[in-house]
Every structure is written in structure tokens, then in C-alpha cells.
Amino acid sequence: MRPYNNRAWLLLLPALMLLVAVGALPLMAVINYGFHDIFSLSNVHWIGLDWFSDILQSQRFLASLGRSLLFSALALAIQVPLGIAVALLLLSCGRWAVWGLMLCALPLVVPWNMIPMLWLGLINQDTGILGHWLAAVEFDYKFTALHTWMLLLVMDTWHWLGLVVVLAYAGLSTIPTAYRQAAHIDGASRLAVFRHIELPRIAGGLAIVFLLRFVDSFMIYTEAFAINAGGPGDATRFLSIELGEEINGFSYGQAAARATLYFVMVLIVVCAFVMITRRPEAEA
Amino acid sequence: MIRALALVALAAFILLPLTQAVMLSFIATLPHDGVPEGSVSLVNYANVLAAPELRAAIGNSVIYVLLNVALCIAIALPAAYALARYRFLGDRHFLLMILVFRVTPPVVLSLPIFILFAKLGLVNSPVGIALVHCLFNLPVAIWILESFIRAVPSEFDETAFLDGHSGASFFFRHLIPAIAPGIGVAAFFCFIFSWVEVVFARILTVTEGKPITTAINAMFGFQTDMGMVMAMTCLSLLPGVAMIWFVRNHIARGFALRA
């Protein structure tokens, strides 16, 4: 058991000070702006909860919220099982696995604004490697909502699969071979091995994957904006794209209120996540 | 057999967009002096390295990323040690706080951070970007280092102190060598998350100090030289690829989350 010592705070002090300066103070400023009508930084009026009630009552906000939730759900449903499958595949490759891991990590180091550029180049109907075939099946990401969604999901999966693979592999590689041998002798099915031996080992890593992937896809901005700027129509207008429009339109009070709402949503998700993951720890 | 096919499919999926970029970067997409359009050449790379604003952008990115990594490791090490070795009032609240900051979307905080940094004179400076990237990198560094320090038994610390090492000498001579792979992995994640970040890096550079990501966006114009854009993109991948190579044997340690 670790000793109880409040002087440990001294070691946390630099981290705490930095996070307060670049995180907590700006956050308080955002919340404060949300209650004001801001014409310029010197011309600010208190308007209470007007922005919040405006936003929460607007149909567009609810529609964007629905789209963002759907996008996150689809991204998680594709990336988590696929990532686990790839990690299991790599695990069976012995010492070649490290090459597979490096390959999967490659998209993680591509600057975010270049990812849509790479994909748009790839599917360009005149110059792209895939352009020819996609033109044959009448793939049109500009004007067909379904195709825009498919492109965004494929691109997001390409980008983030590596994170799921690395963290799942990290858990799987700690399983002693004796466990698998024992399961094999007992005649356990592949599914049973996954459920009772592999899943418990990767649960910790998967928890953080779920949280990071949920929040990042829920607030996807750079990539989604570059592909189609929310179009066709409003089909890929996600929450963050709405916020970006308001900031670019200098509607700072409303943007701040919206940012506050998003922060509250993220906070609720984090709290729910912590409550769910803490319970098994308490039993152990 | 199925396994081989799956591996090939995976490699194809990951490498396809990059292949296209690498191929284009070696092709002259616009006519240049003595190099006809469509021919294979290194003219794009030569042009990138000859352009002062692109060279400066690469330099700017390298500076703020290295600054950020150094800052994160230096601040996260003592914090991770405290969390790994002691219980104290509010330790769980601290872990919850870093988790919340890690997942707060940059767009939410971009406006007040710009105003605050403008007042402090940190706009257009690599220091500003390095500081603000700590918001999401410091939590990751603390999680990774904490899980590595926990793996070192606490008797290790006690022996060192019994041998008469002071706090500082224990830290530098014993703890840091013992968790060197952890520092490597933490540095890797800080490096890549800072290198690829766009929103903060863009809003905090108004007139100068532009990072590599903004420089690439600025290359699109009336007549975009796609080959040159792709050459710049490929160059921007090199540091990340090098980082992957350095931590390849430790990358799969991952990070354990405590909140």
C-alpha cells in the first residue's frame, strides 16, 4: 500500500500551475463569455442564459448533435473490433509483430490537416490511384451524403486504427503462453479464450481507447471540414463545425456559450466513464 | 493463408494514401526550368528546401515540438512519481482533472487562449504553442510515466536513499535510467501529438512563427504545385517516422489510465 503523504503535492505543483494557466483560466473565461453579448472586447453586455436557451432550442443544434453521436458510434463500432482483430493478428506473427505495429502507427504521425488532403488526392478522379475505379461506381463525395460519410469513416479509421492496435497489443502481449495452453487443453473455444483470457487483459487499454476515440470523433473538426465543409447540404455538419462557423463569424458570445455546452457534454461523458471503470477496481 | 491475405490488406490500406503522396512528390507536376512537366525528378524537394518560408516553417515546428516535449517530461516526471508512490488529499481529483483537460476539444478553448496569450505577448512565438500543447500532452506523459514508475518496486527507492542519495541525485542517477524506455514512449506520444496538432498552432501564429501545417495550407493557390505540396508533406512525415523507429520495441507498453 502506498504511504499517505500530502507533501507529494509539491511534486505536482509545476504540473498543476501549468494546467491552471493554459486550461482552467481559459475555461473560466469561455464560461464567462457565454453569458455575455460581445460586440468587441471593450463592448460587452450581460445577457444571462439567452445564448444557452437559443442554442438548446434550435433544431439545427439537435440535428448536429445527432450526427456527431452517430458518427462517434459508427467510428467506435468499426475501429475497436477491427483494432482488436489486427492486434490479435499481429500477436500471431511473432517477432515480425513490431513491423506491423510500426506500420499501424504510421498514420498517427501525419499532420491532421494533411490527412484529408492525402485522401482527396487518392480518390481524385483524374490523378488518384483509386479515382478511376471510384468513378466507375459513381462514387461522389461532394454531392452524395452517404458517400461523404463513408469517406469520413474510412479516413478516420485509417487515421486512428493504430492507436487501438497499439493499446490492444500492449494488453494482449502480457498474456503468458501457459494460459493459452491451458485453455487449449481444456478444449476452450476461440470465443471463450477471447472472452475469459484476452478481454480482461485489454479491458484497461480499451477503456482509454473508447474514451479518447469517442471524444475525438465526437468533436471531429480539421478532417471533416476539409473534406466537404459540412456538406452536402448539412449532411456532415457536426457539432464542432457549427462552433467553428460561429468563431469565424465573430459571434463570440454565442460561440462561447456553445463551447461551454460542448465542454459540459465532454465532462458528463468523462464522469460516466470514470464511474464505470472505477467499480471493478474497488472490488479488486 | 488467410492471415497473409489479411496482413497484405492491412498494409495496402495503410500505405495506399502515402504511396500516392510519395509518388507525386517525385514528379514535376508543373513545368520548371529544365524539367518538363510529368517527369520524375527531385525538383520538388529542391524547391521546398529553396523556399525560405518553408524552411522557416520546418524550423518553427521543430522548435516548439522539442520545447513541448522537454517541458512535458520535466514537469510530468515529478508528478508521475508523486502519483505512483504516494496517496494524498485530492490525488484522484488531480487525475480526473488531467483526464478532463486531455479530452477537452481545442476549439472550445481556442478563443480565450488566444486572448490570454496575446496579453502575455506569447502569440507568434514557439513558446506559446509549446505551452498550450502541454494541455493535452502533459496528461498523456503523466499516465505513461506513472505506469512505468509503478513497475519499479518501491524498495528500489528505499535502497537508494539508504545508500545516502539525496532526492535529486536519486532522480537523475537511479530513477531516470530505470524508466528510460518510459521516457522514450512518453516523449514519442508528446512529440507526435504536438507535431500533428493544427488548431492551436494555427490560431497562435498570426503573422510569423508559422508551423509546417499552416505553411502547407498556404501553398494552395491559383495554380497549386501538387508535387511540391506532397514533397513538403513527405518531409513533414520524416521526424514522426524516425520517432516510431526509435521507440519501436517499447511502443506496445501503452498507457494505463487511472482516474
Side-chain angles (χ1 to χ4, degrees), chain A residues 2-6 8-9 12 15 30 89 92 98 109-110 112-114 117 129 158 170 215 219 273 278 281, chain B residues 3 13-14 20-21 75 79 83-89 92 103 105 112 134 192 196 213 216 220 248 252 257 259:
Chain A
R2 288 167 295 137
Y4 192 91
N5 188 344
N6 275 328
W9 268 108
L12 283 186
V30 167
L89 181 70
S92 65
V98 70
V109 305
V110 183
W112 288 11
N113 58 340
M114 291 172 214
M117 210 179 66
I129 299 177
W158 183 78
V215 178
M219 287 289 156
F273 168 83
R278 195 175 278 176
E281 208 176 277
Chain B
R3 210 175 74 180
F13 174 59
I14 290 174
Q20 166 116 27
I75 293 180
L83 289 165
R85 289 288 191 256
Y86 300 104
R87 287 176 304 130
F88 44 88
L89 185 70
R92 293 207 138 173
V103 299
C134 286
I192 60 165
V196 300
T213 47
I216 292 196
F220 285 90
R248 66 188 181 283
L257 176 78

Side-chain angles (χ1 to χ4, degrees), chain B residues 125-171:
Chain B
S125 127
V127 180
I129 304 179
L131 280 175
V132 81
H133 281 180
C134 286
L135 192 60
F136 47 82
N137 273 345
L138 198 55
V140 172
I142 291 177
W143 291 333
I144 296 174
L145 292 175
E146 201 244 16
S147 79
F148 274 85
I149 294 175
R150 265 175 178 244
V152 177
S154 60
E155 287 78 20
F156 179 83
D157 308 16
E158 285 149 22
T159 322
F161 286 125
L162 283 179
D163 288 348
H165 280 284
S166 68
S169 112
F170 160 72
F171 233 84

Side-chain angles (χ1 to χ4, degrees), chain B residues 49-98:
Chain B
L49 295 177
E53 75 275 12
L54 297 183
R55 276 211 313 265
I58 297 174
N60 291 333
S61 281
V62 169
I63 291 172
Y64 73 72
V65 169
L66 291 182
L67 218 62
N68 172 262
V69 172
L71 201 61
C72 280
I73 300 292
I75 293 180
L77 259 178
Y81 183 77
L83 289 165
R85 289 288 191 256
Y86 300 104
R87 287 176 304 130
F88 44 88
L89 185 70
D91 50 356
R92 293 207 138 173
H93 298 98
F94 181 82
L95 286 163
L96 183 66
M97 185 187 80
I98 63 173

Side-chain angles (χ1 to χ4, degrees), chain B residues 195-226:
Chain B
W195 184 259
V196 300
E197 203 276 337
V198 177
V199 175
F200 283 133
R202 187 168 52 210
I203 61 153
L204 285 176
T205 51
V206 182
T207 51
E208 54 188 312
K210 296 232 180 264
I212 200 164
T213 47
T214 326
I216 292 196
N217 277 352
M219 289 167 80
F220 285 90
F222 173 64
Q223 198 183 21
T224 306
D225 189 346
M226 271 322 272

Side-chain angles (χ1 to χ4, degrees), chain A residues 22 67 110 168 195 251 278:
Chain A
V22 299
R67 278 191 286 269
V110 183
R195 170 68 188 84
S251 181
R278 195 175 278 176

